[in-house]
């Protein structure tokens, strides 16, 4: 039976050391450990000395000693937790010193393996490029299907009997208790028959995507009802793709098409997927006073000298789905006018922007009917797993969230999006991977 003990790497000397664990840390003390300096990170007790907790009673003199002790205990626990998390976060990506402590011949072989791995990354990039070409080929085959979809949802054409039959079979496969159309027609004899196509198809489909739904405001809905199609186009002269939004004439802007283009760098990230370079969007030609990304305040100002009053109209930015066409620009790590918090927020916006582009490309455009009906949400495991974790955590904590439950049960409530886990990348079916926006 094989042993579970690590296999030592022997050197010419009498000493030996153990190969690292997955955390890049030796299982037992290696001979090189004796020469390492003592950590200079202060321990918890040292940091707690800086914690200032007032154990005096409040000004009214009616504070209970037990309440004060509980408050002190909670404050100490919160401080300790924050300190531990801060210390651990600072160690992410840093070397444990193990590799640097290996004998020179072994280190040379390690560097050689890195060189060998470059051959793999080159082949992986070639594979991704072939997959991209295959995606382009099949998009040309998908487009006639998408053309047929557009004709039906805009009312230009009606589905054939064969198409309806196939759809009903799929509905029964998804839900054996689904009501057949014949029974529905019998019940809805007085239903309107002069409705063209499928009203608000794309607005409903986008509303059923948890991240995009957070971008669509009530003010946006009027313009979004004019959305007639969303299509994908792969770039030919550069690496990347474009998402085209087609609109019927409306009261908000004159553009018949609004586009968002995502560019790849042509290089692969650590996971082998194409990295994003940047994104560009169409400049929207808003009609007078119809800019949904602005709110206007009207104020009256009085001239102190003439005592006359004038009306001042001031515009301010307001969140809108149409901000999607004015994407954030990649920050520079040495930008002197941006602090770390602003830098992190901009980087998060970039990742979210790329993620939405990928979901439009890989999910919403090809499976628009499933997002319209809500079927796609059953397979969106990125969110379901997080929700289950949150529910389980809430039961363990024993928190009373009755007020929150009441709010969530209101009609029209859309749960806030959660950050997706798992692999990300600009390749097939993944989320975004930006270029090296920030050195971790």
């Amino acid at each position: 039976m094989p042993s579970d003990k690590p296999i030592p790497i022997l050197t010419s000397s009498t000493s030996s050391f153990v190969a690292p664990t997955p955390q890049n840390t030796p299982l037992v003390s290696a001979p090189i450990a004796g020469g390492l300096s003592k950590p200079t990170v202060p321990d918890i007790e040292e940091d707690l000395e800086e914690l200032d907790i007032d154990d005096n009673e409040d000004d009214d003199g009616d504070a209970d000693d037990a309440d004060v002790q509980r408050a002190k205990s909670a404050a100490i626990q919160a401080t300790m937790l924050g300190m531990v998390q801060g210390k651990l976060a600072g160690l992410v990506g840093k070397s444990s010193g193990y590799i640097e402590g290996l004998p020179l011949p072994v280190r040379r072989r390690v560097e050689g393996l890195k060189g060998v791995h470059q051959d793999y990354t080159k082949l992986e990039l070639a594979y991704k490029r072939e997959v991209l070409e295959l995606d382009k080929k099949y998009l040309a085959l998908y487009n006639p299907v998408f053309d047929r979809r557009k004709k039906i949802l805009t009312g230009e054409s009606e589905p054939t009997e064969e198409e309806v039959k196939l759809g009903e079979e799929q509905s029964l496969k998804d839900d054996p208790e689904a009501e057949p159309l014949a029974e529905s027609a019998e019940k809805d004899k007085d239903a309107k028959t002069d409705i063209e196509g499928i009203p608000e198809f794309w607005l409903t489909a986008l509303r059923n995507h948890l991240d995009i739904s957070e971008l669509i405001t009530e003010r946006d809905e009027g313009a979004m009802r004019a959305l007639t199609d969303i299509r994908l186009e792969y770039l030919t002269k550069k690496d990347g793709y474009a998402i085209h939004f087609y609109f019927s004439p409306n009261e908000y802007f004159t553009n018949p098409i609004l586009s968002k283009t995502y560019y790849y760098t042509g290089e692969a990230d650590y996971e082998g997927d194409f990295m994003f370079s940047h994104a560009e969007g169409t400049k929207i030609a808003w009609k007078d006073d119809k800019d949904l990304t602005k709110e206007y305040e009207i104020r009256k100002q009085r001239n102190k000298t003439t005592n006359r009053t004038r009306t001042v109209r001031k515009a301010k930015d307001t969140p809108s789905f149409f901000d999607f066409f004015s994407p954030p620009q990649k920050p520079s790590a040495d930008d002197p006018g941006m602090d770390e918090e602003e830098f992190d927020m901009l980087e998060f916006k970039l990742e979210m922007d790329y993620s939405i582009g990928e979901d439009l490309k890989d999910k919403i455009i090809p499976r628009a009917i499933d997002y319209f009906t809500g079927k796609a949400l059953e397979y969106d495991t990125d969110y379901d797993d997080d929700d289950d974790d949150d529910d389980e955590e809430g039961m363990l904590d024993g928190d009373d969230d009755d007020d929150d439950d009441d709010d969530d049960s209101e009609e029209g409530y859309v749960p806030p999006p959660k950050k997706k886990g798992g692999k990300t990348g600009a390749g097939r079916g993944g989320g975004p991977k930006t270029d090296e926006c920030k050195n971790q």
Side-chain angles (χ1 to χ4, degrees), residues 192-362:
K192 293 182 179 180
T193 58
D194 58 348
I195 300 175
E196 292 187 356
I198 305 177
E200 303 182 13
F201 177 88
W202 287 106
L203 173 58
T204 303
L206 294 175
R207 278 286 194 190
N208 280 333
H209 183 280
L210 299 184
D211 283 342
I212 296 178
S213 69
E214 290 296 301
L215 304 180
I216 302 174
T217 67
E218 290 185 9
R219 298 174 70 244
D220 295 329
E221 290 182 356
M224 296 298 288
R225 291 189 180 97
L227 181 60
T228 60
D229 202 9
I230 307 177
R231 301 295 277 267
L232 168 67
E233 177 189 9
Y234 284 105
L235 306 184
T236 55
K237 295 182 179 180
K238 294 184 178 181
D239 292 331
Y241 61 90
I243 306 292
H244 302 299
F245 294 73
Y246 294 81
F247 290 86
S248 60
N250 59 83
E251 62 178 293
Y252 297 92
F253 47 82
T254 60
N255 310 71
I257 305 173
L258 297 179
S259 300
K260 182 72 167 288
T261 305
Y262 293 90
Y263 295 92
Y264 296 148
T265 64
E267 299 177 357
D269 61 13
Y270 180 77
E271 295 176 344
D273 295 314
F274 290 119
M275 292 190 296
F276 281 100
S277 170
H278 66 286
E280 297 175 357
T282 300
K283 184 177 180 180
I284 302 177
W286 296 103
K287 295 181 179 180
D288 291 342
D289 299 332
K290 293 297 183 178
D291 189 343
L292 296 171
T293 66
K294 305 288 184 184
E295 281 186 338
Y296 296 94
E297 293 181 352
I298 299 178
R299 299 179 181 178
K300 291 184 177 181
Q301 291 183 345
R302 184 181 298 277
N303 189 300
K304 294 182 179 179
T305 303
T306 63
N307 204 32
R308 292 182 177 179
T309 302
R310 67 173 182 173
T311 301
V312 179
R313 192 164 174 266
K314 185 178 180 181
K316 67 175 183 178
D317 294 336
T318 187
S320 168
F321 169 80
F322 293 93
D323 290 326
F324 177 71
F325 300 98
S326 299
Q329 298 302 309
K330 187 171 65 175
S332 173
D334 55 357
D335 186 351
M338 183 178 298
D339 59 31
E340 185 176 355
E341 184 175 348
E342 292 173 329
F343 189 96
D344 290 341
M345 178 56 68
L346 184 54
E347 190 177 43
F348 171 77
K349 290 180 179 179
L350 279 168
E351 293 177 356
M352 180 60 72
D353 181 67
Y354 294 147
S355 177
I356 289 175
E358 286 291 292
D359 281 358
L360 284 166
K361 173 172 70 75
D362 295 329

